[in-house]
Amino acid sequence: QKEKTGSRGGDSLQKVLNYCANHYNEDLSLADLGQALHMSKYYVSHLFSEKFHTSFSDYINTLRLSEACRYLEFSEKSVTEIGELVGFGTIRTFNRVFKTRYGVSPVEYRQQREDRRMSFPNTPAMPKEPASYPTTLAIATGAIAILGSAGERA
């Protein structure tokens, strides 16, 4: 298959990562991604397990949780609104996945961050909205990074 040979494999991987970075906040499945990029969902699944040692769903949840943490820390949006903004279908799923990953609920996470800010009052304030500063999501191997609004490569 062309997808697996030479630089085409790298091109395919970059297309998959770019698509995920641009659509993680939607209802996204392997089948959707494969169809959009004209790749087999089995091939896409293989890319994630071989290159990143994780599943597609875990990778998407990592993107969602990363953005959710920024919203929780730097915005005043409700936890429900944040869960919806980052692509979790229900608040229950958002809370469950968040607590499993971080050991605290989104509300507790926000409170801990607020408490930390109060403990270090001379720390420069960050922008209120996550979209107003660059987002870097390092990928498992460290070889590829997705950069948000800065549009640079690592």
Side-chain angles (χ1 to χ4, degrees), residues 42-56:
Y42 303 106
Y43 174 68
V44 174
S45 177
H46 173 75
L47 278 176
F48 279 97
S49 59
E50 183 178 286
K51 300 294 184 184
F52 305 126
H53 308 290
T54 191
S55 69
F56 169 76

Side-chain angles (χ1 to χ4, degrees), residues 6-25:
S7 67
R8 297 281 298 172
D11 291 346
S12 294
L13 181 60
Q14 192 60 51
K15 286 178 184 176
V16 167
L17 295 176
N18 288 341
Y19 191 88
C20 289
N22 291 318
H23 298 276
Y24 70 89
N25 59 340

Side-chain angles (χ1 to χ4, degrees), residues 75-86:
S75 82
E76 295 179 12
K77 295 182 184 312
S78 72
V79 170
T80 300
E81 186 178 2
I82 292 169
E84 291 170 0
L85 281 170
V86 301

